Amino acid sequence: MRSQAFVGLLDAVFIGLGLWFLDVPLVLPLAVLTFVSAFVPIAGALFAGLVAVLIALVSNGLTDALLVLAIIVVVQQLEGNVFQPMIQSRGLGLHAAVVLLAVTLGGSLAGIVGSLSRCPRPRWSRWSGTTCANSSPLPRGNRTPAVRRPAART
């Protein structure tokens, strides 16, 4: 949850700076809307972007609306391909490439539901692997069972 909040904050700051640079009115409410909508997958970003583009269109014209759209697309691409994997990898204790690969595989295999559910799975696999290895009944130094030899007959 903290990683998602941090990504939402990055979105809000970068989109807010772009709106401020283009002199779009209602920058602060639009940045807050961007932050809050970051918690709603897919639809949240579309809704916040649509509101920002419409406000830019009504107040500043078509050129600024298209520039706002370009800023939002660039920030969303950075979020999905750079920020999200890096931040979630730190939160889950996995490499960013593993997170990106898991989300991509989940999305290609099971659509949106697969993308949303795949990120915790590599972490669970890593946790269960270390837990099973640490709870082995064998001594730590020797993970292979000793071969019992029959007692010598005399």
Side-chain angles (χ1 to χ4, degrees), residues 48-118:
L50 178 69
V51 171
V53 168
L54 286 177
I55 288 176
L57 179 66
V58 169
S59 63
N60 294 4
L62 182 63
T63 305
D64 279 352
L66 291 174
L67 289 173
V68 167
L69 179 64
I71 289 170
I72 290 171
V73 167
V74 166
V75 169
Q76 290 300 320
Q77 289 299 312
L78 281 173
E79 175 208 334
N81 296 318
V82 178
F83 300 145
Q84 194 82 15
M86 284 175 46
I87 292 169
Q88 281 195 356
S89 70
R90 287 186 184 162
L92 294 173
L94 296 170
H95 193 275
V98 173
V99 173
L100 191 59
L101 182 65
V103 171
T104 303
L105 264 169
S108 64
L109 294 176
I112 293 173
V113 174
S115 291
L116 294 176
S117 68
R118 288 295 165 197

Side-chain angles (χ1 to χ4, degrees), residues 4 6-16 19 30-31 33-50 52-53 67-85 100:
Q4 188 63 34
F6 187 66
V7 170
L9 181 66
L10 284 174
D11 283 351
V13 167
F14 287 134
I15 290 175
L19 295 174
L30 288 173
L33 178 67
T34 302
F35 173 74
V36 171
S37 68
F39 293 98
V40 180
I42 313 282
L46 289 174
F47 175 72
L50 178 69
V53 168
L67 289 173
V68 167
L69 179 64
I71 289 170
I72 290 171
V73 167
V74 166
V75 169
Q76 290 300 320
Q77 289 299 312
L78 281 173
E79 175 208 334
N81 296 318
V82 178
F83 300 145
Q84 194 82 15
L100 191 59

Side-chain angles (χ1 to χ4, degrees), residues 61 127 135:
W127 173 80
S135 64

